[in-house]
Structures are given as C-alpha cells and as structure tokens.
C-alpha cells in the first residue's frame, strides 16, 4: 500500500509511517519529531476523488440518480453520492482500476449505523438509534438512487446494481473516508487513513487551484505519536459512533438524551451539541433551560412559558434567573425522572444486546461499550442531581 502510494506521487514527511495496534486498523504515526506547520503528507490531484470530478466523468448518468435523492429530501447528500458512484465504478474495474491496491486494502466490516440491523437499533438509546438509523436510511436511498442508472444508461453491470453488500461497502467507504469542504466532497488515498482524535495533531486542506490534498501538523508532535484529525464535534461521541462505527471515550460529554424535548429545543434555538451531560456529572445550562421551559409550557403556556421564553430570547438574565430559582425544584424533578428512567431502560437494552448471537450481530460489543459509556455518565449526573 505504501509503495503503491509513493509510486503514485504521495509524499510523506520523514518519519511518517503507517502502523497498527491490532493488525486491522492502520493509521499514520511519526517516528520523528515534527514541528507545527509541517506538511506531513501530500496527495496529487490525479489520485484524489472529488464530487466535482465525478460530475465531469459521469455527467450523463448522475442526473436521474440525483433527482431520486432530491425527491427523498437528501439534497445535502448529493456530493457524498457522487463519491459513492465513483467508488462503485472503480471497484467494478477490479485490478484494471488505478486505485485497485488502495480499494483492495480497505476494511470490509464496518460497525456504523449503515451496517447495523434493526435488532441493533432496538438496543440503543433513542438518540443513538436516531443517528444510526439515519445512516441506514441514507444507505437505502443511495441504493435506490444508483438503481436509477439502469442498464443501457448506466456505467454499471446489472450484477453490481443488485449486489447489496458491495453497495453497502461502497457507501461505508464514501461516508467514513471522505471529507466535506465548502460543499465539495473529497477522498484522498493515504490521507483517508488518519484516525480521529478529540485532541488533534493534523489538519487536512485542499488546494483550490491544483486540487492537491495536504495534511499539515497543527502542533509540535513528538516522535512515537499518532497523527490524528477531527471527524466531527468532539463533545458528543454519538454522531461519530453512528457514522464511523467507533466510540470516542475521550469525549468529555454526551447529549443528555432528551429526545422528547425536540420541540422545546427548536423553539429555544438549541441543538444536540448544546444539551450536554458531562462525564464528571456536570450539566450544561441549556439542559436546565429546556426542562424548565417544558414544565412551564405544560402548566401555563400563555403566561409563564412565554415570560421565560421572552427573557431567554431577549438576554434578560435577571428575569431568567428568577424563573429558574422559583421553579428549581420542578426542573430538578423533571431531570431526575429523565435520568432515572433512562438508566433503567439502558439496563434493558444492554441485556437484550447481550442475548444476541455474535455471529449474526458482530456489532454487539460496540453497542454494549456505547451503552456502558452513556450509563457511567448518567450515573455521575444522577449523583450530582441527587446531591443538589
């Protein structure tokens, strides 16, 4: 793999090499000290997959497929679909593809939401299930869309269009190994092998003029260190779990799992990354806001709820604090009920997962790890709430 990359023009800084702890997951690390600002790897344009280049190559085939995605409300997934389309085209060429050594080296087993079964979803907390099922839904829609490129108007054989496992593999490669930059999707061999870190050493960039891809060190990196990039928001590991199929236990927090408060979240302008439970038992202020707003809407939507809403939207911290102090016990009770209820459900979900046959459900260990991470965080939050 490294020899193929070097022959294709991939360049690496001295000391940068692929390594593995388990013989399966290979990633770049350095055996030499690397100063901040060093180009640790570069990939020439002609080796890079991009959504714009896919349009140029497959323009006559893509339109019908993309219309299907747009009809399904997945306009934002069109650049990813183009990478998926390119992967299928190169895969079908086999060893005649210039990218064959790289594609042949990629994992076949994935643990992300697109690869999970419906039994898996039944064992996850609602937010994790929501994120994982969204990946599965994307996969289903990608399969339907590529099927629009029917034989006679398609670059693909009927066999590959009906090969669900290969299409799933192509989706997983595209979704876990490509990067989005300003609406464009890129995938660069070798650079796709950088792992995620909550604390990162490397940042990826694309030269808009040449199309080349670069990875630069953002900090001084000591010899013997892995080189990591960010795959997404490090404060909540669940979206990464659903998209990439791993659990980042270095994340400091998780979404508080208030999936039945989505209306209140939206009205207050909050997202999942705002409502956090921390591993040390801490609770983000936005969680209290949403719970109090929910309680007030239930009991006096026209006066109390509107008063609190206006204070929050208007930045009136004094009035907001008065509401929180006056109704603190109700807010606390709502939160305690949520935490206690989810802890009980977590035990049930994990018990169900443990009963599955690992040969049929190889993702069970990751699901149990995820549920355990959520449980430990919720137990610390419970201890914090109970002591207030």
């Amino acid at each position: 793999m490294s020899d193929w990359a070097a022959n294709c023009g991939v360049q690496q800084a001295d000391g940068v090499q692929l390594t593995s702890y388990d013989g399966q997951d290979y990633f770049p690390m350095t055996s030499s000290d690397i100063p901040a600002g060093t180009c640790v790897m570069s990939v020439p344009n002609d080796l890079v997959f991009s959504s714009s280049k896919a349009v140029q190559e497959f323009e006559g085939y893509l339109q019908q497929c993309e219309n299907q995605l747009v009809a399904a409300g997945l306009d934002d997934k069109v650049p990813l679909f183009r990478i998926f389309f390119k992967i299928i085209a190169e895969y079908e060429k086999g060893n005649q593809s210039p990218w064959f050594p790289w594609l042949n080296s990629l994992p076949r087993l994935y643990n992300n939401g697109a690869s999970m079964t419906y039994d898996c979803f039944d064992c996850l907390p609602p937010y994790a299930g929501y994120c994982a099922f969204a990946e599965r839904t994307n996969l289903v829609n990608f399969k339907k869309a590529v099927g629009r490129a029917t034989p006679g108007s398609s670059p693909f054989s009927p066999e590959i269009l009906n090969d669900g496992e290969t299409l799933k593999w192509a989706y997983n490669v595209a979704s876990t190994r490509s990067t989005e930059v300003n609406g464009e999707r890129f995938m660069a061999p070798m650079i796709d092998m950088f792992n995620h870190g909550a604390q990162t050493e490397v940042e990826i960039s694309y030269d808009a003029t040449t199309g080349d891809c670069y990875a630069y060190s953002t900090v001084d990196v000591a010899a013997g260190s892995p080189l990591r990039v960010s795959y997404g928001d490090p404060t909540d590991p669940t979206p990464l779990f659903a998209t990439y199929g791993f659990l980042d236990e270095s994340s400091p927090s998780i979404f508080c799992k208030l999936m039945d408060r989505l209306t209140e979240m939206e009205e207050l302008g909050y997202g999942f990354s705002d409502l956090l439970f921390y591993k040390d038992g801490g609770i983000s202020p936005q969680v209290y806001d949403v719970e109090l707003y929910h309680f007030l809407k239930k009991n006096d939507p026209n006066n109390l709820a509107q008063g609190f809403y206006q204070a929050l939207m208007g930045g009136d911290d004094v009035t907001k604090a008065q509401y929180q102090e006056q109704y603190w016990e109700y807010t606390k009770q709502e939160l305690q009920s949520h935490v206690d209820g989810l802890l009980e459900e977590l035990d049930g979900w994990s018990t169900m997962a443990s009963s599955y046959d690992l040969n049929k459900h190889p993702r069970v260990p990751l699901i149990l790890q995820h549920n355990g991470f959520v449980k430990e965080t919720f137990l610390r939050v419970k201890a914090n709430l109970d002591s207030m």
Side-chain angles (χ1 to χ4, degrees):
M1 177 59 193
S2 295
D3 290 343
W4 169 82
N7 290 335
C8 292
V10 175
Q11 297 183 17
Q12 299 175 178
D14 290 342
V16 174
Q17 59 195 30
L18 294 180
T19 190
S20 176
Y21 296 138
D22 59 8
Q24 296 179 348
D25 176 32
Y26 285 84
F27 56 90
M29 68 165 294
T30 179
S31 58
S32 305
D33 292 341
I34 296 179
T38 300
C39 179
V40 299
M41 191 178 295
S42 66
V43 179
N45 174 49
D46 59 3
L47 210 58
V48 176
F49 286 16
S50 77
S51 49
S52 60
K53 287 198 288 187
V55 170
Q56 295 171 9
E57 184 175 357
F58 304 110
E59 184 176 8
Y61 303 113
L62 282 170
Q63 190 60 56
Q64 257 189 312
C65 302
E66 293 176 6
N67 288 344
Q68 172 76 24
L69 287 181
V70 172
L74 296 175
D75 313 46
D76 61 325
K77 299 300 179 185
V78 166
L80 178 63
F81 179 81
R82 293 170 180 171
I83 298 293
F84 165 76
F85 203 93
K86 173 65 172 173
I87 292 167
I88 298 169
E90 295 304 325
Y91 174 85
E92 190 164 35
K93 294 176 186 176
N95 58 17
Q96 298 304 303
S97 168
W99 287 274
F100 175 77
W102 168 58
L103 292 172
N104 196 46
S105 74
L106 299 181
R108 263 43 185 182
L109 177 67
Y110 288 82
N111 293 322
N112 56 355
S115 299
M116 289 183 182
T117 66
Y118 291 102
D119 288 335
C120 293
F121 300 139
D122 288 341
C123 299
L124 290 170
Y127 176 53
Y130 165 83
C131 293
F133 191 72
E135 286 297 318
R136 178 70 177 231
T137 302
N138 289 341
L139 168 62
V140 169
N141 280 290
F142 273 40
K143 286 181 176 180
K144 289 179 180 178
V146 80
R148 292 283 181 164
T150 53
S153 65
S154 168
F156 308 131
S157 68
E159 289 76 20
I160 201 163
L161 290 175
N162 292 313
D163 186 347
E165 287 302 308
T166 294
L167 296 181
K168 179 168 66 176
W169 171 80
Y171 174 83
N172 283 331
V173 170
S175 63
T176 64
R177 308 187 85 85
S178 66
T179 313
E180 185 169 337
V181 180
N182 298 324
E184 175 88 5
R185 202 89 188 186
F186 299 91
M187 186 166 67
M190 291 294 285
I191 279 184
D192 68 317
M193 301 186 83
F194 286 102
N195 276 345
H196 167 81
Q199 302 294 323
T200 64
E201 295 78 28
V202 171
E203 194 171 82
I204 297 170
S205 64
Y206 292 86
D207 188 309
T209 303
T210 66
D212 297 340
C213 179
Y214 298 95
Y216 282 93
S217 57
T218 55
V219 295
D220 293 336
V221 186
S225 300
L227 300 171
R228 299 166 298 182
V229 299
S230 174
Y231 288 1
D233 183 0
T235 63
D236 182 5
T238 298
L240 297 175
F241 163 83
T243 301
Y244 295 95
F246 68 87
L247 180 67
D248 181 8
E249 294 189 283
S250 68
S251 294
S253 53
I254 59 173
F255 171 60
C256 67
K257 316 304 181 191
L258 284 169
M259 292 298 288
D260 55 348
R261 304 286 192 270
L262 296 183
T263 299
E264 288 83 357
M265 287 170 57
E266 183 177 354
E267 289 176 357
L268 297 182
Y270 294 149
F272 295 122
S273 61
D274 296 311
L275 275 70
L276 301 175
F277 284 170
Y278 292 92
K279 288 196 296 188
D280 63 1
I283 302 169
S284 69
Q286 295 89 336
V287 174
Y288 296 120
D289 292 344
V290 167
E291 280 295 66
L292 175 54
Y293 185 51
H294 172 74
F295 171 78
L296 295 176
K297 281 179 68 178
K298 283 195 304 184
N299 291 277
D300 190 352
N302 294 323
N303 294 309
L304 291 176
Q306 274 301 306
F308 178 71
Y309 174 84
Q310 289 168 4
L312 196 62
M313 294 296 103
D316 185 350
D317 293 336
V318 173
T319 302
K320 173 186 165 182
Q322 290 172 345
Y323 272 97
Q324 290 173 327
E325 182 177 358
Q326 182 173 353
Y327 296 101
W328 162 243
E329 286 303 319
Y330 298 104
T331 303
K332 177 183 174 182
Q333 289 171 16
E334 292 276 355
L335 270 177
Q336 285 176 314
S337 175
H338 167 65
V339 169
D340 290 343
L342 195 93
L343 281 169
E344 184 176 345
E345 288 181 300
L346 272 168
D347 287 336
W349 292 323
S350 294
T351 298
M352 185 190 306
S354 298
S355 71
Y356 289 168
D357 181 349
L358 290 180
N359 293 317
K360 295 180 180 178
H361 302 282
R363 295 157 193 90
V364 162
L366 179 64
I367 290 171
L368 292 174
Q369 182 188 9
H370 174 271
N371 289 1
F373 184 80
V374 172
K375 182 176 180 178
E376 287 303 312
T377 303
F378 265 62
L379 284 171
R380 292 190 180 96
V381 169
K382 174 179 170 58
N384 182 19
L385 281 170
D386 290 350
S387 68
M388 291 180 181

